[in-house]
Amino acid sequence: MTSVLDLAPVVPVVVIEDAADAVPLARALVAGGLPAIEVTLRTPAALDAIRAIAAEVPDAVVGAGTVISAAGVADAVAAGARFLVSPGWTEGLLEAMKASGVPFLPGVSTTSEVVALLERGVAEMKFFPAEAAGGVPYLKSLSGPLPQARFCPTGGISLGSAPSYLSLPNVGCVGGTWMLPADALAARDWARVESLAREAAGLRAPATG
């Protein structure tokens, strides 16, 4: 599979309360040009949502987010997750993700954590919580000494700030929720979600010159 970091400029970070919403939501995101969908394991419906998307939306690349245990890894992969994302990592969680057979993005927020993962042969990571942990200036400062590390920053990123992240050489994509406004989800306004997804899919790094 193509690296998760290279599927689209934005990975929607989805919290699904009702598994019945999973398929129409995923179809709207895919139609808008965002095929990589991170369903967070924060609700009882999450695994059923992943299962439904994997079975019924073939153009989606559905992954599991907020993976924090080996059991979570096993459950997510069994449900059909094609990639895994964690907010942080431990040795045990890292080993479980490595053994899962699917791509994974362990979460980091410090230089030492990045170096520790590189030492273990992992070069693709989630930078979380992006804005609170230093944002664009912090990631830019890492690109010099640690150019081999690539990131998907997530946490507090908006339509307005995403291009600044995408301009960095060590950022492949960003994670975000702005294309999933609460009122649109409550109203099941999938057309609006698709429109916002299309806007996000068109994001590019700002021109320099």
Side-chain angles (χ1 to χ4, degrees), residues 56 61 81 123 148 176:
E56 299 183 44
V61 180
Q148 64 272 56

Side-chain angles (χ1 to χ4, degrees), residues 11-47:
V11 176
V13 179
V14 182
V15 180
I16 294 180
E17 302 288 349
D18 184 346
D21 292 337
V23 167
L25 175 58
R27 285 176 176 156
L29 291 170
V30 170
L34 300 181
I37 302 169
E38 176 188 334
V39 177
T40 64
L41 301 184
R42 301 181 196 174
T43 68
L47 291 173

